[in-house]
Amino acid sequence: MEPVHTELFSHSVQHVLDLVGIFVFAISGALLAVRKNYDVFGMAVLAEVTALGGGLIRDLIIGAVPPAAFTDLGYFLTPLIATTVVFFLHPQVERINTTINVFDAAGLGLFCVAGTTKAYDYGLNLTASATLGLATAVGGGVLRDLLGNEVPSLLRWDRDLYAVPAIVGATVVVVLIKFQALTPATGVLAVLCAFALRLLAMRYHWRAPRAWHRRTTAAEELHL
Amino acid sequence: MEPVHTELFSHSVQHVLDLVGIFVFAISGALLAVRKNYDVFGMAVLAEVTALGGGLIRDLIIGAVPPAAFTDLGYFLTPLIATTVVFFLHPQVERINTTINVFDAAGLGLFCVAGTTKAYDYGLNLTASATLGLATAVGGGVLRDLLGNEVPSLLRWDRDLYAVPAIVGATVVVVLIKFQALTPATGVLAVLCAFALRLLAMRYHWRAPRAWHRRTTAAEELHL
Amino acid sequence: MEPVHTELFSHSVQHVLDLVGIFVFAISGALLAVRKNYDVFGMAVLAEVTALGGGLIRDLIIGAVPPAAFTDLGYFLTPLIATTVVFFLHPQVERINTTINVFDAAGLGLFCVAGTTKAYDYGLNLTASATLGLATAVGGGVLRDLLGNEVPSLLRWDRDLYAVPAIVGATVVVVLIKFQALTPATGVLAVLCAFALRLLAMRYHWRAPRAWHRRTTAAEELHL
């Protein structure tokens, strides 16, 4: 099926934004590899998978093969640059962790909006498009944690909200599409919405609730 | 490639059966999330992946993109309903574990038959169709356990037979197809066959053997 | 898209080589299942996934659906034969571990060359083709370790080089393609190149470096 092209941003602007998102996601992959004591190839694999995995899953599902990750050389090389940086400078990189988290929040915002738009361009319905926007934004991180043999940090209750900002960003996009109001300006608004929400979640340690009775039980245990 | 349509059941009957299978599989995903102490979004992710993952793998392999999981709103919403139920009532849900296992066995039967039929409709040979029927039935559970950072319960020797009933169900379907005897009636028979086998495996704790010498070694250790 | 056919070897020679590679990869999958105490179905699943997983990932990404793993009965049956061998003879199989590793190195060489060639035939650029050659060679092993709930041995620093020989083999192939010098003879050379490199890595325990400061820190700890 020939995709429609919802040109949200000009192609070159979109490309630069994509590369920024890919770079910061790759940094988080390479850093996990260092923490897990992997070698430099393990670092490169985790950097590539974290940065490109979410978009890869989306492209396989919407039938956009070969996926963008395999047709754009810049997408492939950026994680290798991130790997090199972390290889030589990882203590310094760890030290600016807060800065990285801010960029990661920006990547989250960009990817959920770009992912939703691309899925819609390929003819998926609004709910499916938003779901794939979420998958684009968080899929790479889940694959990173699987390859690191860790519980996916996305799913853990003791982490600040990560999925919710992406869900909100993707939802804003599909609402804009529904009311034919998706323009570069409103698209940026959706990105900023997800970005700001993630920053607030980190600042105030917002968490999502766990299943009901577990908390009651915990409280009871305390009273014993 | 344009798929043939082996209309096993009328479309609406098939749809209701699918939703029942999706619901019980989603319950098992959400329950694992509760046990792993995940938050409500982790519950929803595990519910969706467990319920739709097997069919998603099948659809990607046979080239049915976008997969059914992303085109049918009911498929997407059912796991969220299951998540809501488990969120508020998980102790009660755990208590009716046997009932759930019976429904899960029904889901196993339905999915292995529906998966085999769909793969054959897309032009795969009989062996491949049966393999994909098995993948449809058990794939979601394997992805659930991977996301839960657990050894896939499908592969463990100390669990009652789970793959075998699905293999038998899928095999019955391809034999029926080969002899051009697949009708709604014989299709139901294949479902019931897998369903009954799984119930018997749970009732009598049927297990599959492990590699030969390991057991000998264990016996020797006992004699020391 | 209709693929070009870079007939590297005659079809029947290629097929035999593929089956040899599939067999040895399947052995390594079945052996991990035995070590993890999985039952005979777990063994078969790990054998199939290890042997066919890398090619499956490649075929999904290049859009070659249904993947070769599902259209060629020999590809499907070979891992089951490997499972049967390991089931009855695994202590003997473990004892000839070195022999198996040599065959595995041969499989690595064959798969990285065949994977690169196939990806190029489907129109991917040279970098992407080499990456998919690597993925074909190592992807099955990574999926095996994920299903075994282990840290992927590919990524661990304390294992002899495994990715590098495959990267070298795939790179040789794309250089040959670029200079229009890929013939059966030079193709064999690329296979032997990867094969020899892996043998040397095993013989001399070549390892890849980890991130820089980690080693410094380890040295400092020693001095304290």
Side-chain angles (χ1 to χ4, degrees):
Chain A
M1 151 181 37
E2 209 41 35
V4 194
H5 282 290
T6 310
E7 281 261 334
L8 198 52
F9 308 113
S10 82
H11 183 71
S12 56
V13 171
Q14 176 71 51
H15 199 243
V16 170
L17 294 175
D18 279 354
L19 293 182
V20 170
I22 286 171
F23 186 79
V24 289
F25 279 14
I27 293 275
S28 89
L31 282 176
L32 179 64
V34 172
R35 258 173 250 138
K36 301 290 291 189
N37 215 2
Y38 290 173
D39 68 22
V40 63
F41 293 102
M43 290 170 66
V45 169
L46 254 70
E48 293 281 356
V49 166
T50 310
L52 305 175
L56 184 62
I57 293 171
R58 175 204 58 209
D59 286 351
L60 290 180
I61 287 175
I62 64 179
V65 289
F70 285 89
T71 53
D72 185 312
L73 201 59
Y75 287 6
F76 177 77
L77 293 180
T78 303
L80 298 185
I81 297 170
T83 303
T84 313
V85 170
V86 171
F87 184 83
F88 288 109
L89 301 172
H90 70 94
Q92 289 86 331
V93 175
E94 294 264 24
R95 224 169 292 141
I96 56 161
N97 202 19
T98 316
T99 317
I100 291 176
N101 280 338
V102 171
F103 275 102
D104 184 272
L108 187 75
L110 288 165
F111 277 31
C112 76
V113 171
T116 305
T117 315
K118 182 163 184 184
Y120 184 75
D121 283 353
Y122 274 76
L124 274 80
N125 64 50
L126 294 175
T127 314
S129 299
T131 308
L132 285 171
L134 172 64
T136 308
V138 306
V142 170
L143 291 177
R144 173 198 65 205
D145 295 340
L146 286 181
L147 288 177
N149 203 20
E150 303 226 315
V151 171
S153 95
L154 177 77
L155 307 173
R156 294 175 60 163
W157 79 277
D158 56 348
R159 297 295 161 93
D160 305 332
L161 286 186
Y162 195 89
V164 175
I167 293 171
V168 170
T171 307
V172 170
V173 173
V174 297
V175 169
L176 288 170
I177 291 176
K178 183 150 181 86
F179 292 103
Q180 301 187 315
L182 185 64
T183 63
T186 56
V188 168
L189 213 80
V191 173
L192 289 178
C193 195
F195 178 53
L197 217 58
R198 170 65 185 153
L199 290 185
L200 288 169
M202 288 195 292
R203 176 74 185 76
Y204 297 105
H205 299 299
W206 288 344
R207 306 254 155 100
R210 284 171 293 165
W212 251 34
H213 276 257
R214 181 163 291 272
R215 283 172 304 170
T216 320
T217 317
E220 279 165 3
E221 271 164 20
L222 235 70
H223 287 193
L224 283 179
Chain B
M1 153 180 39
E2 209 39 37
V4 194
H5 283 291
T6 310
E7 282 258 337
L8 199 52
F9 308 113
S10 82
H11 183 72
S12 57
V13 172
Q14 177 70 51
H15 199 242
V16 170
L17 293 176
D18 279 354
L19 293 181
V20 171
I22 285 170
F23 187 79
V24 288
F25 279 14
I27 292 277
S28 89
L31 281 177
L32 179 63
V34 172
R35 259 173 249 138
K36 302 289 291 189
N37 214 2
Y38 290 173
D39 68 22
V40 64
F41 294 100
M43 290 171 65
V45 169
L46 255 72
E48 293 280 355
V49 166
T50 310
L52 305 175
L56 184 62
I57 292 172
R58 176 203 58 210
D59 286 351
L60 290 180
I61 287 175
I62 63 179
V65 290
F70 286 88
T71 54
D72 186 311
L73 201 59
Y75 287 7
F76 177 78
L77 292 178
T78 303
L80 298 184
I81 298 169
T83 303
T84 313
V85 170
V86 171
F87 184 84
F88 288 109
L89 300 172
H90 70 94
Q92 289 85 332
V93 174
E94 294 265 24
R95 223 169 292 140
I96 56 162
N97 203 18
T98 316
T99 317
I100 290 174
N101 280 336
V102 171
F103 275 103
D104 183 271
L108 188 74
L110 288 164
F111 276 32
C112 75
V113 171
T116 306
T117 315
K118 182 164 185 184
Y120 184 76
D121 284 353
Y122 273 76
L124 275 81
N125 65 49
L126 293 176
T127 314
S129 299
T131 308
L132 285 171
L134 173 63
T136 308
V138 306
V142 170
L143 290 177
R144 173 198 64 206
D145 295 339
L146 286 181
L147 288 177
N149 202 19
E150 304 226 317
V151 170
S153 96
L154 176 76
L155 307 173
R156 295 176 59 161
W157 80 275
D158 56 346
R159 297 294 161 93
D160 306 332
L161 288 185
Y162 196 87
V164 175
I167 292 171
V168 170
T171 307
V172 169
V173 173
V174 296
V175 168
L176 289 170
I177 291 176
K178 184 152 179 85
F179 292 103
Q180 303 188 314
L182 185 63
T183 63
T186 58
V188 168
L189 213 78
V191 172
L192 289 178
C193 197
F195 178 53
L197 218 57
R198 170 65 185 153
L199 290 185
L200 287 169
M202 289 195 291
R203 177 73 186 74
Y204 298 105
H205 298 299
W206 287 344
R207 307 254 154 101
R210 283 170 294 164
W212 251 36
H213 277 256
R214 181 163 290 273
R215 284 173 303 167
T216 319
T217 317
E220 280 164 5
E221 271 166 19
L222 235 71
H223 288 194
L224 283 179
Chain C
M1 152 181 39
E2 209 39 37
V4 195
H5 281 292
T6 309
E7 280 260 336
L8 199 51
F9 308 112
S10 82
H11 182 73
S12 57
V13 172
Q14 178 69 53
H15 199 242
V16 170
L17 293 176
D18 279 354
L19 293 182
V20 171
I22 286 171
F23 186 78
V24 289
F25 279 15
I27 293 277
S28 89
L31 281 177
L32 178 64
V34 172
R35 259 174 249 137
K36 301 291 290 190
N37 215 2
Y38 290 174
D39 67 23
V40 64
F41 294 102
M43 291 171 64
V45 169
L46 255 72
E48 294 281 356
V49 165
T50 310
L52 306 175
L56 183 62
I57 292 171
R58 177 203 59 210
D59 286 351
L60 290 181
I61 287 174
I62 64 179
V65 289
F70 285 89
T71 54
D72 185 311
L73 201 58
Y75 287 7
F76 176 78
L77 293 178
T78 304
L80 298 185
I81 298 170
T83 303
T84 313
V85 170
V86 171
F87 184 83
F88 288 109
L89 301 172
H90 70 93
Q92 290 87 331
V93 174
E94 294 265 24
R95 223 170 290 141
I96 57 162
N97 202 20
T98 317
T99 317
I100 290 175
N101 280 338
V102 171
F103 276 103
D104 183 272
L108 187 74
L110 288 165
F111 276 32
C112 75
V113 172
T116 306
T117 315
K118 181 162 185 185
Y120 185 75
D121 284 353
Y122 274 76
L124 275 80
N125 65 48
L126 294 176
T127 314
S129 299
T131 307
L132 285 171
L134 172 64
T136 309
V138 306
V142 170
L143 292 177
R144 173 198 65 206
D145 295 340
L146 286 181
L147 288 177
N149 202 19
E150 303 226 318
V151 171
S153 94
L154 176 77
L155 307 174
R156 295 175 60 161
W157 78 277
D158 57 346
R159 296 297 161 91
D160 306 330
L161 288 186
Y162 195 88
V164 176
I167 293 171
V168 170
T171 308
V172 170
V173 172
V174 296
V175 169
L176 288 170
I177 291 176
K178 184 154 182 83
F179 293 102
Q180 302 189 317
L182 185 65
T183 64
T186 57
V188 168
L189 213 80
V191 173
L192 289 179
C193 197
F195 178 51
L197 218 58
R198 170 65 184 153
L199 289 185
L200 287 169
M202 288 196 292
R203 176 75 185 74
Y204 297 104
H205 297 299
W206 287 344
R207 307 256 154 99
R210 283 171 292 165
W212 250 35
H213 276 258
R214 181 162 290 273
R215 284 172 303 166
T216 320
T217 318
E220 279 164 2
E221 272 166 17
L222 236 70
H223 288 195
L224 284 177

Short mmCIF file of all heavy atoms in Angstrom, two decimals, chain A residues 32 138-159 162, chain B residues 36-39 41-42 45-46 143-150, chain C residues 149:
data_model
loop_
_atom_site.label_atom_id
_atom_site.label_comp_id
_atom_site.label_asym_id
_atom_site.label_seq_id
_atom_site.Cartn_x
_atom_site.Cartn_y
_atom_site.Cartn_z
N LEU A 32 23.87 0.96 29.66
CA LEU A 32 23.45 -0.30 30.30
C LEU A 32 24.48 -1.38 30.01
O LEU A 32 24.83 -2.18 30.90
CB LEU A 32 22.07 -0.74 29.82
CG LEU A 32 21.60 -2.07 30.44
CD1 LEU A 32 21.41 -1.96 31.95
CD2 LEU A 32 20.31 -2.58 29.81
N VAL A 138 8.82 3.52 23.18
CA VAL A 138 9.31 2.72 24.31
C VAL A 138 9.85 1.35 23.91
O VAL A 138 10.51 0.68 24.71
CB VAL A 138 8.20 2.53 25.38
CG1 VAL A 138 7.62 3.87 25.82
CG2 VAL A 138 7.10 1.60 24.89
N GLY A 139 9.61 0.91 22.67
CA GLY A 139 10.01 -0.44 22.25
C GLY A 139 11.50 -0.70 22.35
O GLY A 139 11.94 -1.76 22.78
N GLY A 140 12.31 0.30 21.93
CA GLY A 140 13.76 0.14 21.99
C GLY A 140 14.25 -0.09 23.40
O GLY A 140 15.11 -0.95 23.64
N GLY A 141 13.69 0.64 24.36
CA GLY A 141 14.10 0.49 25.75
C GLY A 141 13.75 -0.88 26.31
O GLY A 141 14.51 -1.46 27.09
N VAL A 142 12.59 -1.41 25.88
CA VAL A 142 12.21 -2.75 26.35
C VAL A 142 13.16 -3.80 25.78
O VAL A 142 13.65 -4.68 26.50
CB VAL A 142 10.74 -3.07 25.97
CG1 VAL A 142 10.42 -4.53 26.22
CG2 VAL A 142 9.78 -2.18 26.75
N LEU A 143 13.49 -3.70 24.48
CA LEU A 143 14.44 -4.64 23.88
C LEU A 143 15.81 -4.53 24.56
O LEU A 143 16.48 -5.54 24.81
CB LEU A 143 14.58 -4.38 22.38
CG LEU A 143 13.37 -4.73 21.52
CD1 LEU A 143 13.63 -4.35 20.06
CD2 LEU A 143 13.03 -6.21 21.61
N ARG A 144 16.23 -3.29 24.87
CA ARG A 144 17.50 -3.07 25.59
C ARG A 144 17.51 -3.85 26.90
O ARG A 144 18.47 -4.58 27.20
CB ARG A 144 17.65 -1.56 25.89
CG ARG A 144 18.83 -1.19 26.78
CD ARG A 144 18.62 0.21 27.37
NE ARG A 144 17.46 0.21 28.26
CZ ARG A 144 16.71 1.27 28.56
NH1 ARG A 144 17.00 2.43 28.03
NH2 ARG A 144 15.68 1.17 29.37
N ASP A 145 16.42 -3.74 27.69
CA ASP A 145 16.39 -4.41 28.97
C ASP A 145 16.33 -5.92 28.82
O ASP A 145 16.92 -6.66 29.62
CB ASP A 145 15.20 -3.90 29.80
CG ASP A 145 15.36 -2.42 30.16
OD1 ASP A 145 16.50 -1.92 30.11
OD2 ASP A 145 14.35 -1.77 30.47
N LEU A 146 15.63 -6.42 27.76
CA LEU A 146 15.60 -7.86 27.52
C LEU A 146 17.01 -8.37 27.22
O LEU A 146 17.45 -9.37 27.77
CB LEU A 146 14.68 -8.20 26.34
CG LEU A 146 13.18 -8.11 26.58
CD1 LEU A 146 12.42 -8.51 25.32
CD2 LEU A 146 12.75 -9.02 27.73
N LEU A 147 17.75 -7.66 26.36
CA LEU A 147 19.11 -8.08 26.01
C LEU A 147 20.05 -7.93 27.21
O LEU A 147 21.09 -8.58 27.27
CB LEU A 147 19.64 -7.29 24.82
CG LEU A 147 19.01 -7.62 23.47
CD1 LEU A 147 19.57 -6.71 22.38
CD2 LEU A 147 19.29 -9.08 23.10
N GLY A 148 19.70 -7.05 28.14
CA GLY A 148 20.49 -6.91 29.35
C GLY A 148 20.06 -7.87 30.45
O GLY A 148 20.59 -7.85 31.54
N ASN A 149 19.09 -8.74 30.12
CA ASN A 149 18.56 -9.71 31.08
C ASN A 149 18.05 -9.03 32.35
O ASN A 149 18.28 -9.50 33.46
CB ASN A 149 19.62 -10.77 31.41
CG ASN A 149 19.00 -12.06 31.92
OD1 ASN A 149 17.82 -12.32 31.72
ND2 ASN A 149 19.78 -12.87 32.62
N GLU A 150 17.37 -7.90 32.18
CA GLU A 150 16.80 -7.17 33.30
C GLU A 150 15.28 -7.06 33.13
O GLU A 150 14.76 -7.12 32.02
CB GLU A 150 17.37 -5.76 33.34
CG GLU A 150 18.87 -5.69 33.41
CD GLU A 150 19.34 -4.71 34.45
OE1 GLU A 150 18.78 -3.60 34.50
OE2 GLU A 150 20.26 -5.06 35.22
N VAL A 151 14.60 -6.87 34.26
CA VAL A 151 13.18 -6.57 34.19
C VAL A 151 13.02 -5.25 33.45
O VAL A 151 13.68 -4.27 33.81
CB VAL A 151 12.59 -6.46 35.61
CG1 VAL A 151 11.17 -5.92 35.54
CG2 VAL A 151 12.61 -7.81 36.30
N PRO A 152 12.19 -5.20 32.38
CA PRO A 152 12.04 -3.95 31.62
C PRO A 152 11.68 -2.80 32.55
O PRO A 152 10.69 -2.89 33.29
CB PRO A 152 10.89 -4.27 30.65
CG PRO A 152 10.96 -5.74 30.47
CD PRO A 152 11.40 -6.29 31.81
N SER A 153 12.48 -1.74 32.52
CA SER A 153 12.26 -0.64 33.46
C SER A 153 10.92 0.05 33.16
O SER A 153 10.32 0.66 34.04
CB SER A 153 13.42 0.35 33.41
OG SER A 153 13.15 1.41 32.55
N LEU A 154 10.43 -0.09 31.93
CA LEU A 154 9.12 0.46 31.57
C LEU A 154 8.01 -0.10 32.44
O LEU A 154 7.02 0.58 32.74
CB LEU A 154 8.80 0.13 30.10
CG LEU A 154 7.44 0.56 29.59
CD1 LEU A 154 7.43 2.05 29.31
CD2 LEU A 154 7.05 -0.21 28.34
N LEU A 155 8.16 -1.38 32.83
CA LEU A 155 7.07 -2.09 33.49
C LEU A 155 7.12 -1.99 35.01
O LEU A 155 6.16 -2.32 35.69
CB LEU A 155 7.10 -3.57 33.08
CG LEU A 155 7.12 -3.86 31.59
CD1 LEU A 155 7.32 -5.34 31.33
CD2 LEU A 155 5.83 -3.38 30.94
N ARG A 156 8.26 -1.54 35.55
CA ARG A 156 8.43 -1.53 37.00
C ARG A 156 7.65 -0.40 37.65
O ARG A 156 7.62 0.72 37.16
CB ARG A 156 9.91 -1.40 37.33
CG ARG A 156 10.70 -2.60 36.88
CD ARG A 156 12.17 -2.40 37.11
NE ARG A 156 12.43 -2.17 38.51
CZ ARG A 156 13.64 -2.29 39.06
NH1 ARG A 156 14.68 -2.63 38.31
NH2 ARG A 156 13.82 -2.06 40.33
N TRP A 157 7.05 -0.69 38.80
CA TRP A 157 6.23 0.34 39.44
C TRP A 157 7.10 1.39 40.13
O TRP A 157 6.65 2.50 40.37
CB TRP A 157 5.28 -0.29 40.48
CG TRP A 157 5.96 -0.62 41.76
CD1 TRP A 157 6.69 -1.72 42.02
CD2 TRP A 157 6.01 0.21 42.93
NE1 TRP A 157 7.19 -1.65 43.28
CE2 TRP A 157 6.79 -0.48 43.87
CE3 TRP A 157 5.48 1.44 43.28
CZ2 TRP A 157 7.07 0.03 45.14
CZ3 TRP A 157 5.75 1.95 44.55
CH2 TRP A 157 6.53 1.25 45.46
N ASP A 158 8.38 1.03 40.45
CA ASP A 158 9.21 1.96 41.22
C ASP A 158 10.02 2.89 40.31
O ASP A 158 11.06 3.39 40.70
CB ASP A 158 10.14 1.19 42.15
CG ASP A 158 10.99 0.19 41.40
OD1 ASP A 158 10.70 -0.06 40.22
OD2 ASP A 158 11.94 -0.35 41.98
N ARG A 159 9.55 3.10 39.09
CA ARG A 159 10.18 4.07 38.21
C ARG A 159 9.21 5.19 37.89
O ARG A 159 7.99 4.96 37.82
CB ARG A 159 10.60 3.37 36.89
CG ARG A 159 11.64 2.29 37.09
CD ARG A 159 12.94 2.87 37.58
NE ARG A 159 13.79 1.86 38.21
CZ ARG A 159 14.73 1.18 37.55
NH1 ARG A 159 14.93 1.41 36.28
NH2 ARG A 159 15.47 0.29 38.18
N TYR A 162 6.84 6.77 32.51
CA TYR A 162 7.54 6.86 31.23
C TYR A 162 6.56 6.61 30.08
O TYR A 162 6.58 7.30 29.08
CB TYR A 162 8.67 5.84 31.21
CG TYR A 162 9.69 6.07 30.11
CD1 TYR A 162 10.80 6.87 30.34
CD2 TYR A 162 9.56 5.47 28.87
CE1 TYR A 162 11.74 7.09 29.34
CE2 TYR A 162 10.49 5.68 27.87
CZ TYR A 162 11.59 6.48 28.11
OH TYR A 162 12.51 6.70 27.13
N LYS B 36 4.69 -9.90 39.68
CA LYS B 36 6.01 -9.28 39.52
C LYS B 36 6.02 -7.87 40.08
O LYS B 36 7.02 -7.16 39.94
CB LYS B 36 6.40 -9.23 38.03
CG LYS B 36 6.44 -10.55 37.32
CD LYS B 36 7.60 -11.41 37.76
CE LYS B 36 8.94 -10.87 37.33
NZ LYS B 36 10.02 -11.83 37.58
N ASN B 37 4.90 -7.43 40.65
CA ASN B 37 4.85 -6.12 41.29
C ASN B 37 4.93 -4.97 40.28
O ASN B 37 5.43 -3.89 40.60
CB ASN B 37 5.99 -6.01 42.31
CG ASN B 37 5.59 -5.18 43.51
OD1 ASN B 37 4.44 -4.72 43.59
ND2 ASN B 37 6.52 -4.98 44.41
N TYR B 38 4.49 -5.22 39.03
CA TYR B 38 4.50 -4.15 38.01
C TYR B 38 3.36 -3.17 38.28
O TYR B 38 2.40 -3.51 38.97
CB TYR B 38 4.30 -4.75 36.61
CG TYR B 38 5.47 -5.54 36.10
CD1 TYR B 38 5.38 -6.26 34.91
CD2 TYR B 38 6.68 -5.60 36.80
CE1 TYR B 38 6.45 -6.99 34.42
CE2 TYR B 38 7.75 -6.33 36.31
CZ TYR B 38 7.64 -7.02 35.13
OH TYR B 38 8.69 -7.74 34.65
N ASP B 39 3.45 -1.98 37.70
CA ASP B 39 2.37 -1.02 37.87
C ASP B 39 1.26 -1.30 36.84
O ASP B 39 1.32 -2.27 36.07
CB ASP B 39 2.88 0.43 37.80
CG ASP B 39 3.37 0.82 36.42
OD1 ASP B 39 2.98 0.18 35.42
OD2 ASP B 39 4.16 1.77 36.33
N PHE B 41 0.39 0.06 34.13
CA PHE B 41 0.75 0.07 32.71
C PHE B 41 1.49 -1.20 32.35
O PHE B 41 1.30 -1.76 31.27
CB PHE B 41 1.56 1.31 32.38
CG PHE B 41 0.75 2.54 32.52
CD1 PHE B 41 0.86 3.33 33.65
CD2 PHE B 41 -0.19 2.87 31.55
CE1 PHE B 41 0.06 4.45 33.81
CE2 PHE B 41 -1.00 3.98 31.71
CZ PHE B 41 -0.87 4.78 32.83
N GLY B 42 2.33 -1.68 33.28
CA GLY B 42 2.97 -2.97 33.08
C GLY B 42 1.93 -4.07 32.95
O GLY B 42 2.07 -4.99 32.12
N VAL B 45 0.43 -3.77 29.44
CA VAL B 45 1.37 -4.23 28.42
C VAL B 45 1.42 -5.76 28.41
O VAL B 45 1.32 -6.39 27.35
CB VAL B 45 2.78 -3.64 28.65
CG1 VAL B 45 3.81 -4.32 27.77
CG2 VAL B 45 2.79 -2.14 28.41
N LEU B 46 1.55 -6.37 29.58
CA LEU B 46 1.62 -7.83 29.62
C LEU B 46 0.31 -8.46 29.16
O LEU B 46 0.32 -9.51 28.51
CB LEU B 46 2.00 -8.33 31.02
CG LEU B 46 3.45 -8.82 31.07
CD1 LEU B 46 4.40 -7.64 31.01
CD2 LEU B 46 3.71 -9.67 32.28
N LEU B 143 6.22 -14.67 25.15
CA LEU B 143 6.55 -13.25 25.23
C LEU B 143 6.23 -12.70 26.63
O LEU B 143 6.99 -11.90 27.18
CB LEU B 143 5.77 -12.45 24.17
CG LEU B 143 6.19 -12.70 22.72
CD1 LEU B 143 5.29 -11.90 21.77
CD2 LEU B 143 7.65 -12.31 22.48
N ARG B 144 5.09 -13.13 27.20
CA ARG B 144 4.73 -12.72 28.56
C ARG B 144 5.85 -13.06 29.55
O ARG B 144 6.28 -12.21 30.33
CB ARG B 144 3.45 -13.45 28.98
CG ARG B 144 3.02 -13.27 30.43
CD ARG B 144 2.04 -14.37 30.84
NE ARG B 144 2.70 -15.68 30.81
CZ ARG B 144 2.07 -16.85 30.61
NH1 ARG B 144 0.77 -16.88 30.45
NH2 ARG B 144 2.75 -17.98 30.59
N ASP B 145 6.35 -14.30 29.47
CA ASP B 145 7.39 -14.72 30.41
C ASP B 145 8.71 -14.00 30.16
O ASP B 145 9.44 -13.68 31.10
CB ASP B 145 7.59 -16.24 30.34
CG ASP B 145 6.34 -16.99 30.80
OD1 ASP B 145 5.52 -16.38 31.52
OD2 ASP B 145 6.19 -18.17 30.45
N LEU B 146 9.02 -13.70 28.89
CA LEU B 146 10.24 -12.93 28.59
C LEU B 146 10.14 -11.54 29.21
O LEU B 146 11.08 -11.07 29.85
CB LEU B 146 10.44 -12.78 27.08
CG LEU B 146 10.92 -14.02 26.31
CD1 LEU B 146 11.09 -13.69 24.84
CD2 LEU B 146 12.24 -14.54 26.89
N LEU B 147 8.98 -10.87 29.04
CA LEU B 147 8.80 -9.53 29.61
C LEU B 147 8.75 -9.58 31.14
O LEU B 147 9.04 -8.59 31.80
CB LEU B 147 7.52 -8.88 29.07
CG LEU B 147 7.58 -8.43 27.61
CD1 LEU B 147 6.24 -7.87 27.18
CD2 LEU B 147 8.67 -7.37 27.42
N GLY B 148 8.40 -10.72 31.70
CA GLY B 148 8.41 -10.89 33.14
C GLY B 148 9.77 -11.34 33.65
O GLY B 148 9.95 -11.57 34.84
N ASN B 149 10.73 -11.46 32.75
CA ASN B 149 12.09 -11.91 33.09
C ASN B 149 12.06 -13.27 33.79
O ASN B 149 12.77 -13.50 34.77
CB ASN B 149 12.80 -10.86 33.95
CG ASN B 149 14.32 -10.99 33.90
OD1 ASN B 149 14.86 -11.61 32.98
ND2 ASN B 149 15.01 -10.44 34.87
N GLU B 150 11.22 -14.17 33.29
CA GLU B 150 11.12 -15.51 33.85
C GLU B 150 11.46 -16.56 32.78
O GLU B 150 11.32 -16.30 31.58
CB GLU B 150 9.69 -15.77 34.32
CG GLU B 150 9.17 -14.78 35.32
CD GLU B 150 8.49 -15.45 36.47
OE1 GLU B 150 7.72 -16.41 36.24
OE2 GLU B 150 8.74 -15.04 37.63
N ASN C 149 16.68 -17.56 29.36
CA ASN C 149 16.76 -16.59 30.46
C ASN C 149 18.21 -16.37 30.90
O ASN C 149 18.51 -16.29 32.08
CB ASN C 149 15.88 -17.04 31.64
CG ASN C 149 15.50 -15.88 32.54
OD1 ASN C 149 15.57 -14.72 32.14
ND2 ASN C 149 15.11 -16.18 33.77
#
